[in-house]
Amino acid sequence: MPPVSDEGTFEVYEKGSEAPKEATNFKALEHNIYKINFDGALFENQNTGGIGVVFRDGRENFKTAVKRREQFVSESYEVEALSTCFAEELGQQHIILEGNCLRVIQALHMISPDPMGHLIEEVNDRLRYFQSTKISHTEREGNIVAHLIARSAAEGDSPVYWIEDPPSFIMDQLNVDVTATF
């Protein structure tokens, strides 16, 4: 487990272990560990979904974010699972992958069988390239930035990346996240 300081604690679990009920502040992670929050949003009237992913370093500094619209999705958990595929794009070796869809988190840990097995298998194949991977569940309150980015994918068809400079519509929530404990 990555070291923690007196500033805060965090709870993560290794692949194959039981999911914790909630995650807490991760301010004290080492600098070489990146946290990736992911979320998906279903746009039912359009038969599409939006992916939102935000990357932060161990000191909670925003590094990058991405939004992408997915076609032909009918379930919100499908969009959530698809959003985890962006983890490898950061190019880091030690990550914490965190989302609020317990079904996806449990499927990634193979805690319960799931009909989206092919998608989960693809994500797990991609996660093997990292030196260390931790998968964590958080409540919705701990995933608002990724959710806002996912909802914004309803506008436009092309993926959008923000590098080092976050979009203005998430700035307030980024500041809240740095001081909050979930």
Side-chain angles (χ1 to χ4, degrees), residues 22-180:
E22 61 186 66
T24 58
N25 193 344
F26 72 101
K27 284 185 192 179
L29 294 180
E30 286 185 353
H31 71 281
N32 66 337
I33 297 176
Y34 278 66
K35 182 176 164 198
I36 303 166
N37 281 81
F38 65 91
D39 198 29
L42 188 62
F43 313 128
E44 293 178 24
N45 59 338
Q46 301 170 17
N47 199 31
T48 63
I51 289 173
V53 184
V54 62
F55 302 88
R56 298 187 216 189
D57 66 16
R59 291 177 176 77
E60 298 236 15
N61 296 315
F62 174 90
K63 289 301 185 184
T64 192
V66 62
K67 75 172 180 175
R68 186 173 82 188
R69 193 170 176 165
E70 292 291 329
Q71 302 294 324
F72 310 112
V73 292
S74 58
E75 300 288 339
S76 60
Y77 67 83
E78 292 173 318
V79 184
E80 296 264 353
L82 283 167
S83 66
T84 64
C85 293
F86 284 92
E88 65 188 320
E89 292 192 14
L90 187 60
Q92 298 298 317
Q93 291 301 306
H94 307 280
I95 64 165
I96 294 175
L97 190 60
E98 185 175 83
N100 64 290
C101 182
L102 188 56
R103 182 175 180 179
V104 170
I105 300 297
Q106 288 176 332
L108 286 170
H109 281 275
M110 297 177 197
I111 292 171
S112 60
D114 201 285
M116 63 179 162
H118 66 286
L119 188 53
I120 295 301
E121 187 176 313
E122 178 184 343
V123 172
N124 277 322
D125 283 345
R126 291 174 182 227
L127 293 177
R128 287 188 185 105
Y129 292 103
F130 296 97
Q131 288 181 8
S132 67
T133 303
K134 297 186 187 224
I135 301 168
S136 178
H137 177 257
T138 187
E139 299 300 322
R140 166 66 71 193
E141 295 80 17
N143 210 34
I144 293 174
V145 173
H147 180 72
L148 292 170
I149 294 169
R151 297 293 310 161
S152 75
E155 305 159 7
D157 290 325
S158 299
V160 176
Y161 291 80
W162 295 274
I163 299 171
E164 298 291 335
D165 190 23
S168 61
F169 68 91
I170 66 167
M171 290 300 293
D172 288 344
Q173 191 59 45
L174 278 173
N175 293 332
V176 168
D177 283 359
V178 170
T179 60

